[in-house]
Amino acid sequence: MSRVAFNRKRVQLRKLLGIRARLALLALLLVAPLMMERVRSLEEARTGQLAQATQEFRELAERTAETQREVIASVATVVKATAYVRASGIAHACELMRESLPLPWIRNIMVVGADGRVQCSVLKAPAGLDVSDRPYFRKARETRDFVFSDFLVARKIDKPMVMAAYPVSAVDPRQDSVVVAGVTLDWMSRSMTRLSGRPGFTAVMIDGEGTILAAPDDLASMIGRSIDTLPLMSAIADKALLSNAPEGSMSFTATDGARRDVSFMRIAGTEARLVLSVDKSKVTASINRDIRTAYLQLGFVCLFVLLGALIG
């Protein structure tokens, strides 16, 4: 009885490995490696595309950060020069600057007394305007050094700005006034326009409190809001704000399962940071579609060859 069963199985196995099955297997061995090679090349291209795009964006971000540093350095130079003029005994330091503002991103330059009230300004500003409660003013007097403020809304004109301050006491300890310059956020955002329009990449500049100071055109509406309102960047907000390192980065998996890289660069001389986010799924969206199409083609071709070998 077992001998009969064995012979029956042997006949079935011989049918299974008949000429049709052998031809189908041969066809698959010829076609499948070619299709798999195409898929593998697309996978490698995706890795290379992501690395290249990330590197290009990183280089643009570094140039943007350097531009922001140069802007802030130029503001520091102007307020320090004004402080030297004031310390030299020239009472009308503001009048010397009134003919024309030295830099387009400086809206106004003021000399503020020890009591926090404006003594004079380049543009028309109410005499006696009190800024004594502003943290940047108090910090400049305490540290006797250049201070760059966080985001604030300027009084009287009701516009978002950042302020730079430098105490005249840093030049002449006998004087206690402070030179203050208002810096418009429009100019800070203008240097970031080249970072816009890149799918999967996001960049903003934040102050020491995490408020967005500058952003590319596609994120201009976020200026003045907390970075926590940007889900792609909120994960690194605390790390960026608490770190004294010039730069840092981290990777994480978002709630949608996508892998994201976030990094920051500190703007020297300030508490500001340039924060960058890379959404890998969006950067490689185009080539991912090509890979899915290649897998479908692989399945279709294998099925077509198999059916052709069995039927033909």
Side-chain angles (χ1 to χ4, degrees):
M1 200 63 185
S2 60
R3 189 180 188 86
V4 174
F6 175 76
N7 289 333
R8 188 175 299 168
K9 289 181 180 179
R10 187 173 62 179
V11 171
Q12 292 175 351
L13 182 62
R14 189 175 297 171
K15 289 181 178 180
L16 180 63
L17 298 177
I19 187 64
R20 289 182 178 178
R22 293 175 187 176
L23 286 175
L25 182 60
L26 178 61
L28 288 176
L29 290 175
L30 291 174
V31 175
L34 296 177
M35 296 301 298
M36 289 301 295
E37 175 61 23
R38 179 168 182 260
V39 173
R40 188 188 66 82
S41 64
L42 287 172
E43 293 277 4
E44 291 180 351
R46 175 174 61 183
T47 302
Q49 182 188 57
L50 178 61
Q52 181 180 0
T54 302
Q55 181 63 26
E56 290 177 356
F57 187 75
R58 177 81 179 184
E59 291 174 356
L60 278 175
E62 288 175 351
R63 288 199 292 271
T64 299
E66 184 59 31
T67 300
Q68 299 288 8
R69 294 186 189 103
E70 290 174 356
V71 167
I72 293 169
S74 65
V75 173
T77 299
V78 170
V79 295
K80 289 179 180 180
T82 307
Y84 272 94
V85 171
R86 184 75 173 186
S88 65
I90 300 176
H92 304 290
C94 293
E95 282 71 5
L96 294 178
M97 309 288 291
R98 186 163 290 162
E99 293 298 325
S100 62
L101 287 174
L103 297 170
W105 44 83
I106 295 181
R107 177 176 176 83
N108 194 10
I109 300 176
M110 302 178 292
V111 175
V112 182
D115 58 356
R117 296 188 179 278
V118 175
Q119 296 177 345
C120 70
S121 66
V122 171
L123 298 181
K124 291 183 178 180
L129 178 67
D130 190 2
V131 297
S132 59
D133 61 330
R134 295 292 198 183
Y136 69 84
F137 174 76
R138 294 199 297 263
K139 185 175 180 180
R141 295 199 65 206
E142 291 171 2
T143 62
R144 291 191 175 185
D145 200 357
F146 175 76
V147 172
F148 195 77
S149 79
D150 290 331
F151 176 91
L152 56 83
V153 177
R155 291 169 181 161
K156 303 300 181 181
I157 62 173
D158 195 32
K159 286 187 176 182
M161 301 183 74
V162 288
M163 308 299 289
Y166 189 73
V168 181
S169 59
V171 182
D172 183 356
R174 295 171 299 177
Q175 301 194 38
D176 53 11
S177 57
V178 177
V179 177
V180 177
V183 182
T184 61
L185 299 182
D186 294 341
W187 278 93
M188 300 179 75
S189 293
R190 198 168 300 177
S191 65
M192 299 184 66
T193 53
R194 56 190 171 186
L195 297 177
S196 63
R198 295 171 176 267
F201 294 102
T202 308
V204 295
M205 194 169 89
I206 62 173
D207 65 12
E209 297 296 326
T211 303
I212 297 175
L213 296 176
D217 294 339
D218 51 352
L219 290 174
S221 61
M222 302 300 296
I223 295 175
R225 299 171 65 180
S226 172
I227 192 175
D228 290 334
T229 58
L230 289 174
L232 301 183
M233 294 186 172
S234 58
I236 201 175
D238 290 339
K239 180 179 180 180
L241 295 173
L242 296 176
S243 174
N244 291 323
E247 59 182 59
S249 62
M250 66 176 292
S251 298
F252 66 97
T253 302
T255 54
D256 58 1
R259 189 70 178 172
R260 293 187 172 91
D261 295 332
V262 186
S263 58
F264 70 89
M265 302 176 189
R266 187 165 184 169
I267 308 300
T270 73
E271 295 296 321
R273 281 104 169 149
L274 182 64
V275 184
L276 317 171
S277 171
V278 181
D279 185 342
K280 294 182 178 180
S281 61
K282 290 184 179 180
V283 175
T284 59
S286 176
I287 199 167
N288 282 341
R289 287 193 296 269
D290 292 340
I291 292 175
R292 285 194 296 268
T293 302
Y295 276 117
L296 290 174
Q297 289 175 346
L298 173 62
F300 177 76
V301 169
C302 289
L303 181 62
F304 179 78
V305 170
L306 181 62
L307 292 175
L310 292 175
I311 297 173

